[in-house]
Amino acid sequence: LAKWIEELTPTITEWISGLDPSVVSDIGQVTLSVIKAIIKVCFGLVFSVYILLSKEKFKNQVRRLLDAFLPESVASNIKYLVRKTEQVFSDFVSGQLVEMSILGTIFFIALSIANMPYALLISVVIALTSIIPYFGSATAVIFGAILILAVSGLFRMIIFIIMFLVIQQIDNNLIYPNVVGSSVGLP
């Protein structure tokens, strides 16, 4: 490895010195931005784990602060609101996960019946991106269409896009409202 790096270093140095200075500056800025993003994600993960591990302690501290500084009726109303919010959010997330599983299964079955390549991979990507509002489905259809176009051609890609639109409409108008709506308690 050391010998390979020694042989490669002059080539890389020569290539970089031949580049336009603005390109080198842009590469440096992109690299710095990526490093900053990685650091932010790492700090966010550490902070999230810390908060989750100390959740009960924080909950008890907030409860004692409410009881100490607010009238009993106001404190009990705030506690009720927080419990209700936690319950609805938890039910929403569990409904989203169930809906995601149903959607992935439907796509896997439909793509397998249509004998599309990479049916499982495309179904998993569609299921995972269904959580992202607005852009998730667009990302999934683009990913699947490009993959199918590369492997099977234009005709099968068009079939995939039509299948995607039909299944997505069924999901958006029938499955999602029933699964997530009933889990949250909305009609």
Side-chain angles (χ1 to χ4, degrees):
L1 180 65
K3 183 179 178 185
W4 181 72
I5 291 174
E6 286 178 23
E7 292 174 0
L8 197 57
T9 303
T11 307
I12 293 173
T13 307
E14 182 181 320
W15 178 74
I16 290 175
S17 63
L19 290 175
D20 185 23
S22 65
V23 172
V24 175
S25 174
D26 291 345
I27 291 172
Q29 289 176 351
V30 167
T31 304
L32 188 61
S33 297
V34 168
I35 291 171
K36 284 181 181 180
I38 290 171
I39 290 172
K40 286 179 184 179
V41 167
C42 290
F43 275 119
L45 287 173
V46 168
F47 185 72
S48 299
V49 168
Y50 172 72
I51 293 291
L52 286 173
L53 291 176
S54 304
K55 181 178 77 169
E56 291 301 319
K57 180 180 177 183
F58 290 141
K59 191 186 326 183
N60 289 333
Q61 288 173 344
V62 170
R63 191 175 292 139
R64 282 188 275 161
L65 282 172
L66 287 174
D67 290 338
F69 291 108
L70 295 175
E72 186 179 332
S73 63
V74 174
S76 65
N77 284 339
I78 291 174
K79 290 176 192 174
Y80 170 77
L81 181 64
V82 169
R83 276 193 309 272
K84 195 67 171 168
T85 303
E86 180 183 11
Q87 177 189 0
V88 168
F89 183 73
S90 173
D91 291 345
F92 173 75
V93 169
S94 65
Q96 283 284 93
L97 293 175
V98 168
E99 194 272 335
M100 179 179 77
S101 302
I102 292 170
L103 184 64
T105 304
I106 290 171
F107 268 104
F108 178 69
I109 292 169
L111 293 176
S112 296
I113 290 172
N115 201 20
M116 293 286 181
Y118 301 108
L120 181 61
L121 175 66
I122 294 170
S123 300
V124 169
V125 169
I126 290 171
L128 292 176
T129 58
S130 70
I131 294 175
I132 305 167
Y134 304 114
F135 300 110
S137 60
T139 304
V141 74
I142 290 170
F143 171 79
I146 290 172
L147 191 60
I148 291 173
L149 176 66
V151 174
S152 297
L154 183 65
F155 180 70
R156 296 193 52 92
M157 181 190 79
I158 293 171
I159 292 173
F160 167 74
I161 293 172
I162 292 170
M163 286 175 59
F164 182 87
L165 292 173
V166 168
I167 294 172
Q168 198 68 26
Q169 288 302 312
I170 292 169
D171 176 60
N172 289 340
N173 293 314
L174 297 175
I175 298 169
Y176 186 85
N178 288 326
V179 173
V180 178
S182 64
S183 69
V184 175
L186 296 173

